[in-house]
Amino acid sequence: MVIFEMDADLHLHTHFSDGTYAPEDLAQSALRLGIAALAVTDHDTVEACEPCEAACRGAGIEFVPGIELTTEWEGQELHFLGYGIDVRHRELLAELAQFQDVRQQRVREMIDRLNRLRIPLEADAVLALADCRSPGRPHIARALVQAGRCGSMDEAFDRYLKKGRPAWVPKRRMSAGDCIGLLHRTGGMAVLAHPGLYRPEAPYGMLAEAGLDGIECYHSKHDGRMVHQFRAIAERHRWLITGGSDCHGDSKGRPVMGTVRLPYEHFVALKNRLPAARARFAWPAETQATRD
Ligand code: AMP
Ligand code: FE
Ligand code: FE
Ligand code: ZN
């Protein structure tokens, strides 16, 4: 008897934010890698969701719309993944438009800082190269590598772009509680992204009170011990267990799709909770107006 192991990858980026794949590439890669379900989770944009859903439908892959949002807690960034959100929800789209404007302005500020360091990048050229509404530091890192100023993306981050380095500018961030509330109002679920990356560790008690729905136990930066530890935390709070590769494309040394696999049963648990999440808030009337 052949037993097919089914997996999901619920953390993926596209060229609509700082990834390099098109939404259609994700569906094709999933097919090739034997991944049965995926979610696209770009930073501050849901533009990839509809094309990715169509491509997944064509390829026989299950799909959940998603997003990755940045929040602030005690001076550090906490990232949240939203799943099952209404990608045409008016309040969500208005909020994202603001985040995107600030990101574009921030790229200009970071490039100003590089110019002051006598690195002659042009903001318009970098934004044209990024070619997306939600640009970020990886686009600047790629431009630095292309211009021969850095040997790799890692070097660009280490020398210029990491927090505390000379070209770093903070992002617009909301509070964790506001983020969870927003994701709930759009009919989605809020999941804490890559908890293994936070020092000090995330405030689980506060997040439970704010209504967190899950934590990302499987991630390319988590080792086996961390997966075990985060699964125990999830069980204690009755949170969903999620996971994904956080793949941004094929860039050297960066996580790639297929390297982290969420056992399919956890995807089923997430899917089963979607109707209750949707029922938490009745769709506001104005949402309907944007659905035509
Ligand atoms: P931003 O959203 O503009 O603050 O940029 C953060 C993004 O940079 C993260 O989502 C990662 O995708 C990416 N990133 C962080 N460190 C590195 C690195 N060393 N090399 C390439 N990409 C990185
Ligand atoms: Fe990213
Ligand atoms: Fe993240
Ligand atoms: Zn991510």
Side-chain angles (χ1 to χ4, degrees):
M1 190 175 72
V2 183
I3 297 173
F4 289 101
E5 287 247 351
M6 299 224 291
D7 298 302
D9 188 336
L10 304 183
H11 192 156
L12 294 162
H13 294 270
T14 73
H15 64 62
F16 284 100
S17 70
D18 57 3
T20 58
Y21 289 158
E24 296 76 13
D25 298 336
L26 297 182
Q28 286 311 310
S29 298
L31 210 53
R32 204 176 51 244
L33 295 164
I35 288 170
L38 63 81
V40 61
T41 55
D42 274 318
H43 303 281
D44 297 341
T45 176
V46 290
E47 291 163 281
C49 290
E50 289 183 335
C52 195
E53 178 165 29
C56 284
R57 202 179 308 121
I61 309 276
E62 290 192 81
F63 175 83
V64 170
I67 191 159
E68 183 169 13
L69 295 173
T70 305
T71 72
E72 173 167 354
W73 172 73
E74 298 205 341
Q76 75 165 320
E77 279 189 11
L78 296 182
H79 291 188
F80 287 86
L81 299 162
Y83 291 116
I85 48 178
D86 174 2
V87 299
R88 299 198 183 184
H89 192 278
R90 188 171 282 187
E91 182 195 355
L92 176 70
L93 295 179
E95 196 71 52
L96 296 181
Q98 284 192 44
F99 278 112
Q100 292 162 11
D101 283 351
V102 175
R103 275 181 172 275
Q104 289 163 27
Q105 192 49 44
R106 171 178 176 248
V107 167
R108 294 187 180 282
E109 282 174 42
M110 287 194 280
I111 289 172
D112 272 352
R113 285 170 177 255
L114 288 167
N115 291 163
R116 273 181 251 137
L117 298 168
R118 299 182 187 282
I119 296 175
L121 285 185
E122 274 182 37
D124 287 337
V126 174
L127 288 167
L129 196 71
D131 194 23
C132 73
R133 293 198 171 98
S134 191
R137 286 178 289 167
H139 296 109
I140 302 177
R142 279 177 211 143
L144 285 166
V145 173
Q146 267 193 13
R149 290 292 176 156
C150 294
S152 68
M153 303 263 292
D154 277 343
E155 188 190 328
F157 270 84
D158 287 342
R159 281 175 64 185
Y160 302 112
L161 302 171
K162 270 203 316 208
K163 184 173 179 179
R165 294 290 184 237
W168 177 74
V169 173
K171 254 187 309 201
R172 176 176 184 258
R173 310 185 280 203
M174 57 176 120
S175 78
D178 286 349
C179 176
I180 293 170
L182 175 66
L183 293 171
H184 286 175
R185 287 195 298 285
T186 67
M189 292 183 287
V191 170
L192 180 68
H194 41 65
L197 301 191
Y198 308 128
R199 308 274 180 283
E201 70 167 25
Y204 296 112
M206 183 271 272
L207 296 176
E209 274 179 34
L212 190 75
D213 299 285
I215 61 171
E216 189 177 49
C217 299
Y218 298 82
H219 184 269
S220 37
K221 296 264 173 72
H222 292 175
D223 59 22
R225 191 186 54 81
M226 286 178 175
V227 172
H228 188 76
Q229 177 196 344
F230 296 129
R231 286 186 58 128
I233 293 174
E235 276 155 29
R236 195 177 318 136
H237 290 278
R238 297 180 189 275
W239 282 333
L240 292 166
I241 291 168
T242 76
S245 61
D246 206 352
C247 175
H248 284 72
D250 289 334
S251 333
K252 212 170 106 226
R254 298 292 297 151
V256 172
M257 209 172 162
T259 54
V260 174
R261 289 164 175 269
L262 176 73
Y264 189 73
E265 68 203 68
H266 300 300
F267 173 73
V268 172
L270 183 142
K271 216 170 49 169
N272 288 343
R273 274 208 214 168
L274 280 174
R278 272 189 199 141
R280 258 192 298 224
F281 285 88
W283 297 123
E286 69 262 30
T287 301
Q288 302 301 332
T290 65
R291 299 195 134 255
D292 304 330

